[in-house]
Amino acid sequence: MYEINESMVPPELAVTLDDAKEVAGVFKDLKMRYSAAIKEVSTKLEVLDIEYRLKHDYNPIHHMQSRLKTMDSIIEKIGRKGWPMEVSSIYKITDFAGVRVICNYIDDIYAVESSLLRQDDIKLIRRTDYIKEPKESGYRSLHLVVEVPIFLSDRTYHMPVEIQIRTIAMDTWASLEHELKYKNKENMPGYVAEELKRCARSMAELDATMQRIHKMY
Ligand code: 0O2
């Protein structure tokens, strides 16, 4: 039999394999359910975009992205929220599934929102308008947490999905800020943060101007 080299076994590794198996099972099941929820929401948004094109000869949605939160990110969030490090805390997370909708103009954001929220099977859980009230960092986006039903073989689940709706300019800004924050491990130098805030204000003006020009026709 292979002799374990004790130095290879971290002392803090106290979880049993049964515990690990349970967590892996929960995560796998949730990933399946949340992937289905992303598909439901994405399909609804695609249909709205197609209908809009047919009626108005124009697409409000430029493109969409989606993601499932990683296990690391879930554990980091549970820790940051001060929730118990238990499997049950995973179920409190409302942004396990995320869909990002990138629109051409500001009005498109609210048009997409109202068309989606009027659907009978969509339930709004939380709405945060960081466009009307941008974050201190300069971040702008409309955040919705909605519940959507997914129909499995033996039951129906209502899964939360976080939808971020923003313009191309808002998205460009958020990507740059996220990259800089990540590079600097949250300690962004003050002058960079100030530059970013200035940039966010310019981009807000740009969005407003583009919207105005678009409405001229
Ligand atoms: P990821 O991978 O982008 O999803 P919390 O989720 O606890 O941090 P809260 O209040 O529940 O905070 O949600 P909030 O702040 O409304 O939205 C969180 C998500 O919005 C973040 O997700 C980002 O995607 C985005 N976001 C919020 N504020 C900023 C910001 O200042 N800059 C940028 N670039 N993005 C922001 P995650 O979890 O960070 O990761």
Side-chain angles (χ1 to χ4, degrees), residues 1-10:
M1 191 163 93
Y2 178 64
E3 284 292 319
I4 290 181
N5 173 352
E6 293 298 331
S7 68
M8 279 168 55
V9 184

Side-chain angles (χ1 to χ4, degrees), residues 67 69 77 80-81 95 100 126 130 135 137 139 143 162 164 174 177-178 181:
R67 65 107 183 91
K69 238 178 165 49
K77 184 159 183 172
R80 182 158 46 83
K81 295 278 179 191
D95 66 341
R100 195 166 281 160
R126 196 169 62 234
Y130 293 124
K135 279 196 158 183
S137 60
Y139 177 77
H143 286 200
E162 185 189 78
Q164 298 181 350
E177 197 257 5
H178 184 269
K181 224 182 331 221

Side-chain angles (χ1 to χ4, degrees), residues 61-125:
I61 298 178
H62 185 269
H63 68 279
M64 285 194 277
Q65 298 163 336
S66 62
R67 65 107 183 91
L68 286 175
K69 238 178 165 49
T70 61
M71 192 62 172
D72 278 357
S73 172
I74 285 169
I75 291 170
E76 182 276 326
K77 184 159 183 172
I78 291 173
R80 182 158 46 83
K81 295 278 179 191
W83 298 336
M85 277 294 162
E86 293 167 4
V87 170
S88 61
S89 294
I90 301 178
Y91 291 88
K92 292 189 197 168
I93 289 188
T94 53
D95 66 341
F96 196 124
V99 175
R100 195 166 281 160
V101 185
I102 317 300
C103 294
N104 289 306
Y105 306 103
I106 295 175
D107 284 359
D108 296 338
I109 295 174
Y110 297 103
V112 167
E113 178 200 18
S114 65
S115 310
L116 184 71
L117 294 184
R118 61 164 292 285
Q119 301 192 6
D120 297 339
D121 55 352
I122 288 272
K123 183 175 167 198
L124 179 66
I125 305 295

